[in-house]
Amino acid sequence: MEHTLRAGIIGCGKIAINHADTLRDFPGASLVAVCDSDVDRAKEFAREYGTERVFSDAERMLAECGLDVVHICTPHPSHEGLVLAAARAGVHALCEKPLAVDVAAADRMIAAAEDAGIKLGTVFQRRYWPAARRIRAAIDDGTLGTPILGDCTVLITKDRAYFEEDEWRGRWSTDGGGVLMNQAIHYLDLLQWYLGTAVRVSGRIATLRHAGYIEVEDTAVATVEFEGGALATIRASTAAVPSLGYRVSVTGDAGGTVSLIESPIGGPGVADVWAVAGAEEYHMPWGAEIESHPPQPEVHRSLKPYHALQVRDFLDAVVEDRRPEIDGIEGRKSLALVQAVYESSRTGRTVTL
Ligand SMILES: NC(=O)c1ccc[n+]([C@@H]2O[C@H](COP(=O)([O-])OP(=O)(O)OC[C@H]3O[C@@H](n4cnc5c(N)ncnc54)[C@H](O)[C@@H]3O)[C@@H](O)[C@H]2O)c1
């Protein structure tokens, strides 16, 4: 008899919709329980999705509902405790990015998942864009040769209303960081997916435009050296108006340079530069008519098909008893990069990972 996976969601806010919609469309799983510390939010969410059980306490949901899988869609510092609780309950956990707010927490989460024999996934759905996979394939099949140079540029708009919409945003204790931890991390994930393991990081962060109502950085720069010698630069800011979007580029030792741009925000990412000898393609995906900073719900809606691909990979990994494509170890890598920039900025030194 085919088993339908019993899924739960913790955190019934904005991104939880992408997870719940995917579960609704996925024949092998069903959303049976939801939890939010704000129980009215959980109730409303449960009504919308026809979910049987509603909780304000995640431990109780994990203990009482016989779940196979839990989707963790809460603010960053809570991810660790919730993954550890899922591990204790023997429930596979798919956790929204960033995996945690520091590497020590990520290590505890990875170890707990290993010990409990549960799958742990970190959501980086931008890896599922065809354009993102095309760059990975050009590295794997030798088209680019070995990557030697990369760049990650994030020039986006966040206004005061964004930071004030949710109480947790913009503070070290509840957000864990600013533009690097929250927005650029998707692109740092792609950068390290293409260039490999970061070994030395030097950077500076600052709060230059949103000072007064946020503590965390709104602007950051860094240089990174990867195992094998490749170098990369990072520039990120939530202070750019209008928003130019996100871009990552890779140059290989075969000479080619390829890059991916997300503009308008929400994507889908497009390979704007494909400077590979004999196969050149250039696309300018945006124009003056494009709303470069669409409202957040619209951004989340456009991200949904790629959330769906990653959620499906995770559920398949549970059924097939294999590692999910983006597991805890993968999720830890971009977090290590972010933490290294913070440490370098604090100490004025290059950080060796
Ligand atoms: N993958 C993406 O592209 C993407 C996009 C947006 C947000 N996110 C991530 O998703 C997560 C949630 O972001 P959001 O924008 O949906 O936030 P949100 O504020 O809209 O929702 C978070 C919800 O979690 C609830 N909550 C907080 N602590 C809880 C706890 N301990 N137990 C149960 N519920 C709790 C809050 O009441 C709130 O309803 C963050 O990690 C964020 O970075 C990812």
Side-chain angles (χ1 to χ4, degrees):
M1 196 182 69
E2 212 170 273
H3 179 66
T4 299
L5 296 175
R6 292 171 63 77
I9 290 180
I10 308 175
C12 301
K14 289 178 279 299
I15 209 59
I17 295 170
N18 285 23
H19 292 258
D21 283 354
T22 298
L23 288 166
R24 182 157 60 186
D25 296 341
F26 188 66
S30 118
L31 180 61
V32 297
V34 295
C35 168
D36 198 294
S37 43
D38 175 345
V39 77
D40 290 333
R41 258 193 200 187
K43 282 183 185 159
E44 198 185 321
F45 202 85
R47 251 195 313 279
E48 172 71 26
Y49 289 95
T51 309
E52 292 162 29
R53 310 281 308 270
V54 180
F55 293 85
S56 59
D57 177 38
E59 300 254 8
R60 270 194 59 210
M61 180 176 89
L62 289 163
E64 292 179 16
C65 293
L67 298 180
D68 298 295
V69 177
V70 68
H71 297 238
I72 297 170
C73 302
T74 56
H76 312 156
S78 63
H79 292 176
E80 179 188 4
L82 294 170
V83 166
L84 297 187
R88 283 194 298 276
V91 177
H92 303 291
L94 177 58
C95 184
E96 266 297 348
K97 48 56 64 171
L99 181 58
V101 289
D102 63 70
V103 169
D107 287 339
R108 289 190 288 272
M109 294 156 83
I110 292 165
E114 260 332 301
D115 291 350
I118 62 154
K119 315 280 178 210
L120 172 61
T122 314
V123 177
F124 279 120
Q125 81 282 1
R126 283 165 169 89
R127 280 204 206 181
Y128 288 84
W129 281 333
R133 297 184 102 73
R134 186 181 175 202
I135 294 178
R136 185 59 248 178
I139 295 166
D140 292 339
D141 69 16
T143 302
L144 286 176
T146 303
I148 55 169
L149 181 64
D151 175 66
C152 166
T153 296
V154 172
L155 289 171
I156 57 172
T157 309
K158 294 290 176 195
D159 57 13
R160 184 170 184 158
Y162 164 84
F163 290 109
E164 289 179 350
E165 183 181 352
D166 302 303
E167 224 174 86
W168 58 275
R169 293 192 192 277
R171 290 201 304 275
W172 288 104
S173 62
T174 49
D175 205 341
V179 62
L180 291 178
M181 184 67 85
N182 207 324
Q183 287 85 23
I185 196 159
H186 284 283
Y187 279 80
L188 299 178
D189 175 62
L190 289 177
L191 189 72
Q192 65 78 32
W193 193 36
Y194 300 145
L195 272 76
T197 305
V199 292
R200 259 178 292 281
V201 178
S202 184
R204 291 288 294 162
I205 60 169
T207 314
L208 300 176
R209 187 160 191 265
H210 299 300
Y213 46 91
I214 68 170
E215 297 169 355
V216 295
E217 85 284 3
D218 61 17
T219 304
V221 293
T223 57
V224 187
E225 184 184 334
F226 292 84
E227 224 169 55
L231 300 175
T233 46
I234 297 167
R235 277 187 323 142
S237 182
T238 47
V241 184
S243 183
L244 284 169
Y246 302 79
R247 195 153 187 267
V248 65
S249 83
V250 184
T251 301
D253 68 356
T257 296
V258 296
S259 69
L260 166 73
I261 188 162
E262 175 183 340
S263 180
I265 294 169
V270 173
D272 61 330
V273 169
W274 197 265
V276 173
E280 292 93 339
E281 284 174 44
Y282 303 98
H283 297 282
M284 219 44 121
W286 70 94
E289 75 282 4
I290 286 181
E291 164 59 270
S292 66
H293 187 64
Q296 199 77 343
E298 206 176 294
V299 171
H300 290 167
R301 252 196 313 281
S302 353
L303 294 171
K304 211 181 283 176
Y306 308 99
H307 263 98
L309 290 170
Q310 183 167 356
V311 169
R312 276 165 184 243
D313 172 74
F314 188 79
L315 298 175
D316 286 344
V318 168
V319 172
E320 294 162 13
D321 193 19
R322 60 163 171 83
R323 292 194 91 87
E325 196 169 334
I326 311 175
D327 62 8
I329 292 164
E330 285 297 296
R332 179 192 189 280
K333 293 177 181 174
S334 46
L335 176 63
L337 204 43
V338 171
Q339 195 177 325
V341 180
Y342 291 163
E343 190 185 330
S344 173
S345 187
R346 200 172 54 244
T347 60
R349 298 219 168 88
T350 297
V351 172
T352 303
L353 291 164

